[in-house]
Amino acid sequence: MTEIRKNELEGVLEIVPKRFGDDRGFFSETYNRKVLKDAGVDLDFVQDNHSYSARRGVLRGLHYQLPPFAQDKLVRVVKGAIFDVAIDIRRSSPQFGKWHAIEISATKWNQFLVPKGFAHGFVTLEEDTEVIYKTTDFYSPEHDRAIRYDDPTIGIDWPLGADELQLSPKDLRAPSLADADIFD
């Protein structure tokens, strides 16, 4: 059965589906809406995204979308490994600015649920890493935002040094949390 693990950030979950294996390989039910709903996670996913990163050290994030296109995300790795981070960016939240990270990998077969109101980002820990994630709303360029990965007020302890990272121009230009357009 699927294991659901909570942490210090309300709503951010690690989900570990069961794998059934034998000498042929394995089978796993990676998503079951009823199982999640029975655990109190009632989400309607409408889009799947797949990202491939050729190099170790590719950092994507910290991304989010503003309402009315805010997204919950269910992230999993099908090849390789990532250090995955969720940051509470709801100004009214007692957890505002706090972050939680886990390693997600094809070997661990775990997933990360990032709720609306959280920025999300990851760095690849292995070459040729593939990440698949479900979202509860469609991509909207007008509502797409980012926050700097190295904002000292957030203080994410990335497992790789800045000289090992590769970021997009968009992510390098991202504002700090204090200057970002975020949730109330």
Side-chain angles (χ1 to χ4, degrees):
M1 193 47 84
T2 299
E3 183 180 352
I4 299 176
R5 301 174 184 159
K6 296 181 178 181
N7 62 76
E8 67 276 5
L9 291 183
E10 183 72 31
V12 175
L13 302 172
E14 180 181 11
I15 299 170
V16 186
K18 181 84 172 144
R19 268 202 291 207
F20 303 92
D22 59 26
D23 59 347
R24 299 169 297 158
F26 72 86
F27 171 83
S28 180
E29 186 176 82
T30 60
Y31 173 74
N32 182 312
R33 183 175 181 158
K34 183 182 181 319
V35 168
L36 290 181
K37 186 175 182 178
D38 290 350
V41 180
D42 190 11
L43 300 173
D44 184 19
F45 292 108
V46 298
Q47 181 175 312
D48 280 6
N49 300 315
H50 189 143
S51 85
Y52 167 75
S53 299
R55 291 183 36 205
R56 177 179 186 265
V58 172
L59 194 149
R60 300 179 189 269
L62 306 166
H63 301 153
Y64 60 98
Q65 284 190 176
L66 292 172
F69 292 95
Q71 299 173 316
D72 301 279
K73 295 178 180 177
L74 181 58
V75 183
R76 68 188 187 104
V77 172
V78 295
K79 184 178 181 193
I82 62 174
F83 178 82
D84 206 3
V85 184
I87 305 98
D88 189 337
I89 58 169
R90 302 167 297 170
R91 288 191 201 281
S92 60
S93 170
Q95 305 174 128
F96 177 70
K98 297 199 180 330
W99 59 276
H100 179 74
I102 63 171
E103 181 180 320
I104 302 176
S105 72
T107 303
K108 289 184 176 187
W109 205 244
N110 55 341
Q111 301 176 17
F112 200 38
L113 180 67
V114 181
K116 293 175 183 165
F118 286 74
H120 171 251
F122 64 85
V123 64
T124 57
L125 301 175
E126 298 178 12
E127 292 182 353
D128 297 319
T129 292
E130 294 188 50
V131 178
I132 295 176
Y133 59 98
K134 297 179 169 306
T135 63
T136 56
D137 213 328
F138 301 102
Y139 175 68
S140 173
E142 298 81 26
H143 298 86
D144 185 39
R145 300 290 188 276
I147 296 170
R148 281 198 67 83
Y149 78 98
D150 59 353
D151 183 330
T153 63
I154 299 171
I156 297 170
D157 187 16
W158 296 101
L160 302 177
D163 60 330
E164 299 176 87
L165 302 177
Q166 180 182 2
L167 286 85
S168 71
K170 169 190 161 187
D171 291 345
L172 286 170
R173 290 190 308 269
S176 67
L177 178 61
D179 295 329
D181 188 10
I182 59 174
F183 294 75
D184 288 329

